[in-house]
Amino acid sequence: LVEERTREVSATNARLLEEIKERKRSQAALEHSERKYRELVENANSIILRLDKAGTITFFNEFAQHFFGIPEPEILGKNITDIICPIHELSGDLRQEALTRFLKPTENLTFNEAECFRKEGEPVWVAWTSKRILDPNGEFSEYLLVGMDITERKQVENALHQVNAKLNLVSSIARHDILNRLTIVHGNLDLLKIQLTDPLQIELVVSAEKALSAIQRQIEFTRDYKDMGVKKAYWQPVTATIHQVIADKNVNGISIAIPPEGPEIFADPGLNRAIANVIDYILCHGEPASKINIQYQESAKGLDLIFEDDGAGIPGTEKEKIFERGYGKDNGYGLFLAREILAITGLSIQERGEFGKGSKFIIQVPKRAYRFK
């Protein structure tokens, strides 16, 4: 009995010893993992913060301390809107709303760009990504913010914006003067045509008038084209944009069906112009269309924004030509301009209707460039 009890005690001790060794190994692995994590976070060339739900800073990595010039003891426990991204001019609900917008989790590789301030008040621009952190119970507990210094890029953007603004001003003045002189030439040709009796001379004057009209259309096109890509792209509610476009148009009794809810699209500020040009083409070239159906369809590649009518449609040989500059019944710039505007943020447009049954314009939006609220 004593020998049996001795064996049991020895086996128990062996198990306990193995459990102790396993715990030590696990503890050592955990400490090694935490040490590597801390080294990575502290030495990363990125601003890394942790905030509680109210925006109070609970972690401030070494790079952030050097970048903002604020040691960790001076910033822990402070609200981010009081010391790094101050919004002193706001109070109450407006302040909380601004903080909520700032801490909104980012997605689709987008950034929340904000003007921040170093300790001595020097302004800097930071592109932030925000992520919600969950506790072991799956409940939201804090925010993880990672920031990247984009001050130099912002300075270059501002300088480029000023240059573009000056170039636009010069081109606007030149365009205005040229159009005024073209008006004078048109008037002189009209007077000359009245006085001429020789058919050949009249034909030459008419030919000159057509050339002048073409020059005038091209100059007016540069006015529409000058602001493309100059202003920053942003998220735009498509349904509201379509309603606004249609409200400004005479649809001549054509019924237009629009989904009540739609996505937001990350696009150039000229998105409304691109949509307007598509609808204009349908209204002007889609006879005898009686209705336009607009819908959204998700696919493996992203989102299709579809404009479909019941008119005559577009022959197969013209499906690509209608997007070429100068092709069409009038100046031929509408669909060309629409495609160029959409391409700025990676969107594309095609016509896939069946000739004789109506046209079908599809704006293709990649996954990263749309979202549903």
Side-chain angles (χ1 to χ4, degrees):
L1 181 62
V2 171
E3 290 179 355
E4 182 179 352
R5 179 58 59 89
T6 301
R7 287 194 299 270
E8 290 177 355
V9 171
S10 298
T12 301
N13 288 338
R15 286 196 302 272
L16 289 174
L17 183 60
E18 186 61 32
E19 287 180 4
I20 291 172
K21 290 181 179 179
E22 181 62 30
R23 288 180 182 177
K24 286 184 176 180
R25 285 194 293 268
S26 298
Q27 182 67 26
L30 179 60
E31 291 176 356
H32 178 69
S33 176
E34 289 180 347
R35 187 167 57 253
K36 288 181 65 177
Y37 169 77
R38 180 163 288 276
E39 289 176 355
L40 175 64
V41 170
E42 292 293 356
N43 297 322
N45 289 328
S46 296
I47 305 162
I48 301 178
L49 287 73
R50 283 180 178 268
L51 314 175
D52 65 15
K53 295 180 180 180
T56 302
I57 300 171
T58 59
F59 175 79
F60 200 64
N61 77 329
E62 188 174 342
F63 182 86
Q65 295 174 50
H66 288 301
F67 179 78
F68 287 106
I70 307 174
E72 191 175 50
E74 291 185 19
I75 198 167
L76 294 184
K78 303 286 183 62
N79 195 285
I80 191 171
T81 58
D82 289 330
I83 192 165
I84 292 178
C85 303
I87 48 176
H88 301 306
E89 70 277 7
L90 301 178
S91 60
D93 292 341
L94 292 177
R95 185 183 181 89
Q96 184 58 43
E97 183 181 343
L99 176 63
T100 302
R101 283 200 309 271
F102 176 75
L103 295 176
K104 181 180 179 181
T106 48
E107 55 184 306
N108 297 327
L109 301 180
T110 59
F111 295 93
N112 179 13
E113 298 182 359
E115 186 178 26
C116 303
F117 295 88
R118 292 189 167 121
K119 185 176 182 179
E120 302 301 327
E122 179 189 356
V124 289
W125 277 89
V126 179
W128 298 98
T129 58
S130 175
K131 181 177 177 60
R132 290 189 172 201
I133 304 299
L134 306 180
D135 62 19
N137 298 321
E139 298 293 332
F140 163 55
S141 61
E142 62 179 344
Y143 293 98
L144 172 65
L145 266 66
V146 178
M148 179 175 61
D149 179 20
I150 58 168
T151 306
E152 186 176 347
R153 195 202 80 191
K154 277 290 184 180
Q155 291 172 345
V156 172
E157 285 181 356
N158 290 336
L160 182 61
H161 178 74
Q162 292 179 16
V163 170
N164 283 331
K166 292 178 180 178
L167 289 175
N168 280 343
L169 176 61
V170 172
S171 64
S172 296
I173 294 173
R175 184 168 47 250
H176 180 267
D177 291 343
I178 292 171
L179 289 175
N180 282 343
R181 284 162 174 74
L182 286 178
T183 301
I184 295 172
V185 176
H186 266 298
N188 290 335
L189 287 176
D190 284 338
L191 293 174
L192 180 60
K193 189 166 56 176
I194 293 173
Q195 297 176 9
L196 294 176
T197 56
D198 185 351
L200 179 58
Q201 292 177 337
I202 294 175
E203 184 179 346
L204 292 174
V205 171
V206 170
S207 177
E209 286 179 328
K210 290 180 179 179
L212 282 174
S213 297
I215 293 172
Q216 185 172 355
R217 289 195 299 269
Q218 289 174 342
I219 293 174
E220 290 172 346
F221 168 72
T222 64
R223 178 181 56 202
D224 299 331
Y225 207 78
K226 66 181 178 66
D227 290 328
M228 281 181 52
V230 174
K231 297 181 180 178
K232 184 180 177 182
Y234 63 98
W235 291 100
Q236 303 176 53
V238 181
T239 298
T241 300
I242 293 173
H243 278 292
Q244 181 181 4
V245 167
I246 292 175
D248 295 333
K249 295 192 176 299
N250 180 10
V251 297
N252 297 321
I254 296 177
S255 65
I256 302 179
I258 307 172
E261 298 293 337
E264 288 184 325
I265 291 180
F266 189 75
D268 183 84
L271 176 64
N272 59 339
R273 180 64 184 274
I275 291 175
N277 287 357
V278 173
I279 293 177
D280 280 340
Y281 188 91
I282 293 174
L283 294 176
C284 298
H285 301 266
E287 300 90 358
S290 61
K291 61 181 179 180
I292 300 173
N293 184 35
I294 302 173
Q295 55 184 316
Y296 315 112
Q297 290 183 0
E298 289 190 274
S299 66
K301 294 183 179 181
L303 178 82
D304 288 343
L305 172 57
I306 302 172
F307 298 80
E308 194 170 12
D309 67 69
D310 61 348
I314 299 169
T317 56
E318 295 187 11
K319 290 184 180 294
E320 272 302 310
K321 290 182 179 179
I322 58 176
F323 294 102
E324 295 177 1
R325 181 170 63 90
Y327 186 84
K329 297 178 181 178
D330 44 26
N331 58 26
Y333 292 132
L335 293 181
F336 168 77
L337 191 63
R339 174 172 277 186
E340 293 294 305
I341 291 171
L342 297 171
I344 292 172
T345 51
L347 281 63
S348 60
I349 183 171
Q350 294 179 334
E351 200 290 316
R352 294 183 180 175
E354 184 177 348
F355 182 56
K357 295 186 178 180
S359 61
K360 184 177 183 180
F361 289 93
I362 302 177
I363 296 177
Q364 297 166 319
V365 186
K367 284 183 174 295
R368 60 172 173 75
Y370 79 93
R371 64 188 184 189
F372 285 93
K373 283 193 173 182

